[in-house]
Amino acid sequence: MSDTEQTLDQTDDPIQALKPKVKKPGIIYLNYVPRYMTVKKVQEYFSEFGQVRRVFLKPEKPLKKGKPSKFFSEGWIEFTSRKVAKRIAEFLNNTQVGGKRHSPYYDALWNLRYLPKFQWSQLHERLNYQKAEAEQRMRAEIAQSKREINFYSKNAEKQKRQKKNKVNNESEEKKNTFVPLQLKIKDISSEENKSNNAKNQAIINNFF
């Protein structure tokens, strides 16, 4: 027996060889989550095809601030076995959700994808990154809004000052403008003629 063979024999552990291999978990990505589908319903649905370890559904952006959305945009399902997860993704992808005929997601189709090298810890990293990115984007939007408000405020103040200066200038122009006096010159001769005519008429009336 060679030295190499002796080394292999010494390192071989028959107890380890008898132990069953530990199944590695597999993750399925839901590119679309049907309306009114919840985490509990997703877990119950996929548990019929394999053992589900955990489910995470990402909520949609709320339409109103402070009011969380009851719908989800995407999700991840972790199964105890990679083979099972891969088989389920291939089997259920682009198939009808089904269930009760009057359910809101009866006619919806599953959009599934198996993630061969994806781990659950990476999901947390991704979510933290998206959260930080969203916060950074929000800070940028707030800063932009403040700049716009300052810009409009400055323009409003500028227009107000310009209007005030215009009124003051017009007032000064009116003060400095020379308006010639228009004197009314009475026509003395015509008034005297009227007076004489009135006297003559009075004399004539006395005679008659």
Side-chain angles (χ1 to χ4, degrees):
M1 185 180 290
S2 63
D3 294 336
T4 306
E5 290 175 346
Q6 289 178 358
T7 305
L8 289 173
D9 291 337
Q10 291 173 0
T11 55
D12 286 342
D13 189 349
I15 298 176
Q16 291 291 336
L18 293 174
K19 286 184 178 181
K21 292 183 179 180
V22 179
K23 293 181 180 180
K24 294 183 179 180
I27 297 175
I28 290 178
Y29 172 66
L30 279 71
N31 190 42
Y32 164 75
V33 181
R35 293 284 180 171
Y36 301 100
M37 185 70 77
T38 63
V39 173
K40 183 179 179 181
K41 290 179 180 178
V42 169
Q43 187 166 5
E44 290 176 352
Y45 184 94
F46 284 91
S47 293
E48 296 180 4
F49 304 94
Q51 189 175 355
V52 177
R53 291 186 64 184
R54 43 194 167 183
V55 177
F56 176 80
L57 302 181
K58 183 181 177 182
E60 289 183 351
K61 291 182 179 180
L63 298 176
K64 295 182 180 180
K65 291 183 179 180
K67 188 176 181 180
S69 176
K70 59 183 178 180
F71 302 123
F72 303 93
S73 58
E74 56 184 349
W76 292 261
I77 307 172
E78 186 183 44
F79 293 87
T80 55
S81 171
R82 286 184 177 179
K83 290 182 179 180
V84 173
K86 185 178 181 180
R87 187 170 64 250
I88 292 173
E90 293 174 352
F91 178 70
L92 293 179
N93 187 38
N94 290 328
T95 61
Q96 188 176 345
V97 175
K100 294 182 179 180
R101 192 168 188 81
H102 298 290
S103 65
Y105 43 81
Y106 176 81
D107 294 322
L109 298 178
W110 289 115
N111 191 341
L112 309 175
R113 187 177 64 184
Y114 171 66
L115 306 177
K117 297 181 180 180
F118 193 80
Q119 297 180 359
W120 200 260
S121 58
Q122 292 176 279
L123 174 60
H124 291 285
E125 293 175 1
R126 175 179 174 178
L127 294 175
N128 290 334
Y129 173 77
Q130 290 179 348
K131 183 179 179 181
E133 191 179 33
E135 290 176 354
Q136 185 178 2
R137 185 166 55 250
M138 184 178 293
R139 286 195 295 269
E141 290 176 356
I142 292 172
Q144 179 66 21
S145 298
K146 287 182 178 179
R147 286 194 294 268
E148 291 177 357
I149 291 171
N150 292 333
F151 175 77
Y152 290 126
S153 298
K154 288 180 180 178
N155 279 350
E157 289 293 332
K158 186 178 179 181
Q159 291 177 0
K160 190 176 180 180
R161 287 195 302 269
Q162 289 177 349
K163 187 176 181 180
K164 186 176 180 181
N165 292 335
K166 185 179 179 181
V167 172
N168 292 336
N169 292 335
E170 290 177 353
S171 178
E172 289 294 329
E173 288 178 358
K174 287 181 179 179
K175 289 180 181 179
N176 298 329
T177 302
F178 175 75
V179 180
L181 295 175
Q182 296 180 356
L183 299 176
K184 292 184 179 180
I185 301 173
K186 293 182 179 181
D187 191 353
I188 299 173
S189 59
S190 61
E191 289 184 358
E192 288 180 351
N193 291 332
K194 288 180 181 180
S195 178
N196 293 331
N197 291 333
K199 289 179 180 180
N200 293 333
Q201 186 65 35
I203 293 170
I204 293 170
N205 291 334
N206 289 332
F207 281 106
F208 297 97

